[in-house]
Amino acid sequence: MRIGNVGGRALLITEDDTGIDIATASEGAFGPSMQTLYDRWTEFRAWAERAPLDTGVRHFTAEELDAPAPSPRQVFAIGLNYAEHAGESGIAVPEEPAVFTKFPTSLTGPVTEVTLPEGNVDWEVELVVVIGREARNVSREDAWEYVAGVTVGQDLSERRLQHVGQLPQFSLAKSYPGFGPTGPFLVTVDELEDPDDLVIGCSINGETVQGSRTRHMIFSVPVLLAKLSAVAPLLPGDVVFSGTPSGVGGARRPPRFLAPGDTLVSYVENVGRLTQTFVSA
């Protein structure tokens, strides 16, 4: 199942890429917002399996899509979760997940124009996980059962601010407006042959700059959810950016950063793609 968010209304995406307005099709039982679906995810999934596909039909463009999880109460992000990325950063492979947050106001939809702030803006393609029911002290064996679905994300990062001062400013440097594009849809786990092994990558102006598979994560999604939920309850609609593979601009020699006029395309196999274009302030 794929679900899209158009103008604040949740759509059930059909095979021909049209949308069924969930609030209309369910006669108001579910929706219209995405968050209301996450709050009643188990009930919604049961309804969606028998949902009418001829009511509330809506056509849309990729540019109209908003974030699949637009109002999370918590956004977690994981640093250095691929060994090759840790290596290119000159840091030992971590023994525990490096956790920070992106502020929710940075989240946007899949096709956007991003204004570049002063500094050096880098790219980080990531598999993003959206929580479907409250998770507290979950086991790694059961972790996927708490997931509503996955989507594609970019953890855009301004490296100059990130390294200001004695301690890294991860959260602040990664939370400018537009620095958390996600989408295009929420894809439920049953749509994926192996949710722990997906091709992931991104390109700039047609040149591939990142490419890997999610099986190369140091800490898999189930491990991350187990460790996070042992500390903080994960709530419906919460978002987890699971880390980026190697190939970021700041680790290149010489470093390379995004510039006005660049087009960044990010993808995860069988999940979808994002397209960001960049303009000067």
Side-chain angles (χ1 to χ4, degrees):
M1 180 172 63
R2 296 182 299 160
I3 305 172
N5 178 17
V6 177
R9 298 187 71 88
L11 305 183
L12 191 61
I13 308 303
T14 60
E15 292 184 359
D16 59 358
D17 282 339
T18 58
I20 304 300
D21 186 282
I22 290 169
T24 301
S26 69
E27 298 181 336
F30 299 99
S33 74
M34 293 291 293
Q35 184 59 44
T36 60
L37 302 187
Y38 299 130
D39 289 338
R40 299 172 59 201
W41 187 251
T42 300
E43 296 171 76
F44 166 71
R45 281 299 305 265
W47 172 84
E49 291 177 0
R50 60 180 191 280
L53 300 182
D54 57 355
T55 302
V57 177
R58 180 169 178 178
H59 297 273
F60 60 90
T61 65
E63 290 77 10
E64 292 178 279
L65 288 164
D66 295 324
S71 51
R73 285 165 283 190
Q74 302 178 104
V75 180
F76 298 91
I78 309 300
L80 304 171
N81 200 22
Y82 290 74
E84 289 187 356
H85 177 47
E88 71 179 358
S89 302
I91 299 174
V93 173
E95 296 181 1
E96 290 290 330
V99 183
F100 58 95
T101 187
K102 289 173 76 75
F103 302 130
T105 52
S106 70
L107 300 180
T108 66
V111 180
T112 59
E113 182 180 86
V114 181
T115 299
L116 292 168
E118 182 179 350
N120 300 316
V121 178
D122 208 341
W123 57 87
E124 295 189 10
V125 63
E126 309 205 8
L127 177 70
V128 172
V129 177
V130 181
I131 302 301
R133 58 190 180 103
E134 184 170 340
R136 178 68 168 143
N137 292 320
V138 302
S139 69
R140 64 186 66 182
E141 292 78 16
D142 296 334
W144 278 115
E145 296 179 13
Y146 291 82
V147 173
V150 299
T151 193
V152 188
Q154 259 290 342
D155 178 23
L156 296 170
S157 309
E158 199 287 282
R159 300 301 191 194
R160 191 183 300 175
L161 176 60
Q162 181 177 324
H163 296 292
V164 165
Q166 294 178 302
L167 298 174
Q169 297 276 3
F170 287 108
S171 297
L172 200 59
K174 295 166 174 281
S175 293
Y176 285 92
F179 270 36
T182 54
F185 308 117
L186 180 86
V187 178
T188 54
V189 178
D190 58 289
E191 293 281 325
L192 307 172
E193 183 175 348
D194 183 352
D196 290 303
D197 185 20
L198 302 169
V199 176
I200 184 172
C202 67
S203 65
I204 299 174
N205 303 328
E207 175 192 351
T208 298
V209 290
Q210 287 186 280
S212 187
R213 302 188 72 98
T214 59
R215 71 167 182 257
H216 298 308
M217 287 182 186
I218 300 167
F219 306 102
S220 67
V221 168
V223 171
L224 291 175
L225 298 188
K227 287 181 175 290
L228 291 172
S229 70
V231 177
L234 307 181
L235 305 176
D238 281 356
V239 168
V240 180
F241 282 74
S242 62
T244 196
S246 61
V248 301
R252 295 169 181 258
R253 297 294 177 265
R256 176 182 177 183
F257 299 107
L258 291 161
D262 282 346
T263 297
L264 175 67
V265 176
S266 312
Y267 60 88
V268 175
E269 174 188 21
N270 296 328
V271 177
R273 64 180 55 221
L274 314 173
T275 302
Q276 274 60 58
T277 55
F278 297 87
V279 297
S280 59

